[in-house]
Amino acid sequence: MSLSNGELNIKDLSSSENNSTKDSLIKSLHEHFLFKNVDQEFLESLVNEMHIRLFNKNDNIIMKGEVGRALFFILKGEVSVISDDGENILNVMGEQQFFGEIGVLFSVPRTATCFASKKSIILTLTKENLKKLLENYPSVAQEIALIAEERFSSFVKSQDAEIKYEFSEELSLGISKDQIKNVSSFL
């Protein structure tokens, strides 16, 4: 199995490579907490719709502000989430973790930039294929949605906390939108 341009569609493998790779991916995904209680048919359908992508160390996987077109599962390797200025690592994810669900499920631009901390093999699933698959598996859809809602809520809260209101050159207050809303108006 070789990856041309760093990407491989499972459907494009020869039948012997296909069966071996599919079995391996199904086994790996079955161990993922999202898919522990789903049937074999779902996992086979999931694997058939995925692409395998190889990322070298320090390769960007997603960029903040991009349109979210796919969900990513870390098969091997490590992925870091970095701050807007690129100076701080906010989170490190490893095997059996996923990312990219906020942009896909909420149709919002990517909320963070993620890069491969070391050589990584990532499974990708497009928004369209995910939607099609989840129509028949509401429990998996609910689990992904719950995690996405938690992560998106955390993101929104962190954005609110970072907003500063400038009142003059001499005075700059770092307060949240909620605190501003609670300030009584002068009538």
Side-chain angles (χ1 to χ4, degrees):
M1 171 177 72
S2 66
L3 298 174
S4 63
N5 295 339
E7 186 169 335
L8 173 71
N9 186 332
I10 307 295
K11 295 175 186 174
D12 294 337
L13 295 172
S14 70
S15 70
S16 63
E17 283 181 319
N18 191 324
N19 290 337
S20 173
T21 302
K22 274 187 180 179
D23 290 344
S24 177
L25 292 175
I26 288 169
K27 182 179 181 216
S28 177
L29 289 171
H30 187 70
E31 294 170 2
H32 195 284
F33 75 95
L34 285 176
F35 308 123
K36 281 192 184 294
N37 298 317
V38 299
D39 60 32
Q40 185 78 8
E41 184 181 324
F42 173 81
L43 292 174
E44 288 173 5
S45 298
L46 181 65
V47 166
N48 281 331
E49 299 301 332
M50 291 183 145
H51 290 229
I52 300 172
R53 295 191 62 195
L54 177 64
F55 292 91
N56 291 311
K57 183 177 180 177
N58 296 324
D59 282 353
N60 283 330
I61 300 172
I62 61 173
M63 299 290 292
K64 183 174 182 173
E66 290 178 336
V67 174
R69 293 188 177 96
L71 176 63
F72 303 86
F73 294 88
I74 304 169
L75 188 61
K76 297 280 184 206
E78 191 175 86
V79 174
S80 293
V81 181
I82 58 171
S83 60
D84 290 346
D85 62 8
E87 296 293 320
N88 298 306
I89 294 178
L90 305 174
N91 190 19
V92 178
M93 298 174 285
E95 296 173 16
Q96 301 296 317
Q97 292 187 296
F98 70 96
F99 60 99
E101 75 287 348
I102 293 173
V104 168
L105 296 177
F106 295 109
S107 297
V108 296
R110 297 286 188 201
T111 59
T113 296
C114 298
F115 72 95
S117 310
K118 56 185 175 182
K119 196 169 191 173
S120 300
I121 300 173
I122 309 290
L123 301 173
T124 64
L125 182 64
T126 65
K127 180 178 185 172
E128 294 77 24
N129 289 343
L130 176 66
K131 185 178 177 181
K132 182 173 66 175
L133 282 169
L134 293 180
E135 286 174 357
N136 297 320
Y137 296 90
S139 64
V140 177
Q142 184 178 11
E143 190 67 33
I144 292 173
L146 265 170
I147 292 166
E149 287 170 10
E150 287 174 11
R151 290 180 181 177
F152 191 53
S153 175
S154 292
F155 169 74
V156 169
K157 285 178 186 173
S158 73
Q159 296 303 300
D160 280 351
E162 291 175 6
I163 293 175
K164 288 187 177 182
Y165 291 88
E166 302 271 341
F167 291 98
S168 72
E169 289 182 32
E170 295 84 28
L171 179 63
S172 174
L173 300 176
I175 58 178
S176 73
K177 283 182 183 176
D178 290 334
Q179 290 169 320
I180 288 288
K181 290 175 190 172
N182 292 329
V183 174
S184 58
S185 303
F186 295 100
L187 298 175

